Structures are given as C-alpha cells and as structure tokens.
Amino acid sequence: LMATLVAALLLSYSPSPRPALPPPRFSAALQLTSAAAQRSDGVLPLPASPLPHFAWRTVVTFAANPAAFLVIPLLFRFAPGLDVLGANWATDRMALRHGLVGTAPLLALTLLPLDRIPALSSLREVTTASKTICLYAFGARLVPLRAFAAATLLAGSAAVCEELAFRGALMGGAERLCLQLLPPRICALIALAAQALLFGRLHSYTASAAYFAAATVAGCAFGAAFLATRNLAVPVLMHFAVDMVSFLVCHVQVSRSGEAEQRRLIGGDSPIATALRGLVGVPPGAPPRADERSAPQQGA
C-alpha cells in the first residue's frame, strides 16, 4: 500500500514553472576583451576620459609663468641711467590714446583669417597653438564669467611682467650700452631688433617658425611704441588688450569646436602641446602623440 501511494505521488507531481533567466551580463572588462579579440590589431580600446575643465589652480599656474621674467628688471634696477618704466612714464589719457592706436593694427592681424591666404597658411599652426593654450587654461566648456576673470589675470600678468623685462630692461639696457659706440638712432634700432628676436624666440610654441615670426612682429610693435613714447604704460596697455581679446575669442572658438577637435588639440605634437602635457597633465583618453601611434604594443 505504501509503495502504491509513493508511486501515485510521483506520477501526480508537476514542478512549478520557473521564470526564464535573463541572459548573462558580461562585465565591462569582458566586453572590451571580446571586442579586442575581434579586432585585427588586438589593441584594447580605452574608455574616453573627461576633457580639461576650468580650474583656478591651472589659471594661477599659467599666470605665474611670466613672473619668472621679473628677475631681468630686478637685475637692471641698479644700472646707472636706466629707467625701466621710461623717461615719460605716465598713466594718463595720452598713454591710453597711444595704447589704443597701437592696439588696433595688432588686433586686426590677430583676428583676421590670414591663414586662409595660401602664402600665410603656416599661420594655422599659430591658431592651433593658441587654441591648445586656451583649452588647458579655460577648459572645454564655455564659462564666460570665469573665463573673463581668468583672461584678465593672464593678460595682466603677461603684459606687466614681459613688458618690464623685454621693453623696459632688455631694450633699455641694450640701447644704453650701444650709445657708447654708435649714434642714438642706430642704437635704438639695434635694441628694438634684439629684444624682438629674443621675445619671439622665447614664444616659439610651434615646430615651425610661424609662432616665432608672429611673436617677433608683436615684439617689434611693443618696442616701437616704447621708443616713440618712452612710456612703458603704452606697450603694457597694448599687450594687455591684445592678449585679453585673443584669450576670449579663442575660448569661444574652442568651446564650440566639438570634442573631436578638442582631443586633437590635446594630442598635438607642437612644442606648446608637449609642454602643457608635462605641466598640467593630459587626460588618459586623449589620443597619443604621433611618435607613439606607430609604437608596438608591449605585453604585460
């Protein structure tokens, strides 16, 4: 009887249906491994990392860079007969008027699309270098108020420190030394050319001579304004206005250029891009440099 009951229970037992299990979810690492296995080169793709963002620490680092030039006017401070501020130093309406007049042609050269002219196509390197600086300084997103404040700090630091060093100290000192041997007009031209070439050399941000040439022209303009007025306030105002406008215009252009262009700027091979990667750092997801793209992958 017991055996008959057990057999009846077994025959009548019907297991309840179980819900269908979802397909197994692979981890992100396993998915990447599977994708890499299907690629011919076997390179494991890395997830895109965030682009540079606005940070006051980066802005202050950039602003402190021109302060290194203050050593030059400090050394020339005790030179006899040399006034780094100029014999006619004044911050009046006349200096403002002269500064605005001198700024106009420089802004025209800066903002006009001269790189579209075939003979001046190398100026595209200058534009790329300037955009790279703005990308690191102000970030990838448009931040108008913070960018305005940061541009004021950066332009003011560069204008004051570099004009004191190049136009006030170096140009004035070279002119004073030359006066012992040559006529005043020739000495002024020699001092103007010498400081402009040095200014351009220290601003060589591109692999070619494009940025060197552009910075040398700017150095000539600032130096000519100092020679004409003997008032350092004039080139300081010119330098500040040109840098201020350039920073803000460049920030708008970079923020609207798109992620692909911004990552291309970060992974550039220009001297300024390489220097900024070492100074500020480069996001891990940025494209590698040209000399690293063809390098063989090392095994773990």
Side-chain angles (χ1 to χ4, degrees):
L1 179 60
M2 183 64 67
T4 304
L5 290 175
V6 171
L9 289 174
L10 290 176
L11 291 174
S12 63
Y13 175 75
S14 175
S16 59
R18 296 183 179 180
L21 295 176
R25 295 184 178 180
F26 298 97
S27 64
L30 185 57
Q31 291 178 359
L32 289 178
T33 304
S34 177
Q38 297 176 1
R39 291 179 52 176
S40 60
D41 54 6
V43 177
L44 184 65
L46 293 175
S49 62
L51 288 163
H53 61 279
F54 183 89
W56 279 111
R57 182 177 62 179
T58 304
V59 174
V60 171
T61 301
F62 279 30
N65 188 45
F69 291 123
L70 291 178
V71 176
I72 300 175
L74 289 177
L75 293 177
F76 279 82
R77 179 183 178 183
F78 303 102
L82 177 62
D83 187 358
V84 296
L85 297 179
N88 300 325
W89 164 259
T91 55
D92 51 11
R93 291 184 178 178
M94 185 64 68
L96 178 62
R97 188 179 303 119
H98 288 157
L100 293 177
V101 170
T103 302
L106 287 178
L107 282 180
L109 291 175
T110 302
L111 300 178
L112 288 177
L114 300 178
D115 54 355
R116 296 181 181 178
I117 302 175
L120 300 177
S121 59
S122 61
L123 290 177
R124 293 172 188 170
E125 296 183 54
V126 178
T127 303
T128 300
S130 300
K131 289 182 177 180
T132 304
I133 296 173
C134 287
L135 176 58
Y136 275 99
F138 307 128
R141 295 177 54 190
L142 183 64
V143 286
L145 296 180
R146 283 179 289 177
F148 183 86
T152 302
L153 177 61
L154 294 177
S157 174
V160 172
C161 297
E162 293 182 0
E163 293 309 311
L164 279 171
F166 289 95
R167 262 58 71 179
L170 291 177
M171 184 174 172
E175 188 178 11
R176 293 284 303 175
L177 290 175
C178 183
L179 283 175
Q180 318 232 346
L181 302 173
L182 298 172
R185 181 171 297 181
I186 297 179
C187 289
L189 293 177
I190 292 176
L192 174 65
Q195 63 82 25
L197 290 172
L198 182 59
F199 184 75
R201 180 65 185 87
L202 293 178
H203 288 77
S204 298
Y205 295 155
T206 57
S208 69
Y211 215 110
F212 165 77
T216 300
V217 170
C220 286
F222 299 148
F226 184 58
L227 281 179
T229 61
R230 296 296 176 176
N231 183 4
L232 195 67
V234 175
V236 167
L237 177 60
M238 293 170 57
H239 198 152
F240 174 81
V242 171
D243 280 6
M244 185 73 177
V245 174
S246 300
F247 277 135
L248 295 178
V249 171
C250 193
H251 173 54
V252 174
Q253 292 175 344
V254 170
S255 63
R256 293 180 177 178
S257 62
E259 181 178 346
E261 172 65 14
Q262 292 168 354
R263 293 192 181 280
R264 187 187 69 83
L265 294 174
I266 292 177
D269 300 321
S270 64
I272 187 61
T274 304
L276 289 175
R277 278 195 296 267
L279 177 65
V280 181
V282 58
R289 300 193 303 270
D291 56 349
E292 295 175 347
R293 295 188 186 114
S294 60
Q297 297 292 327
Q298 300 293 332

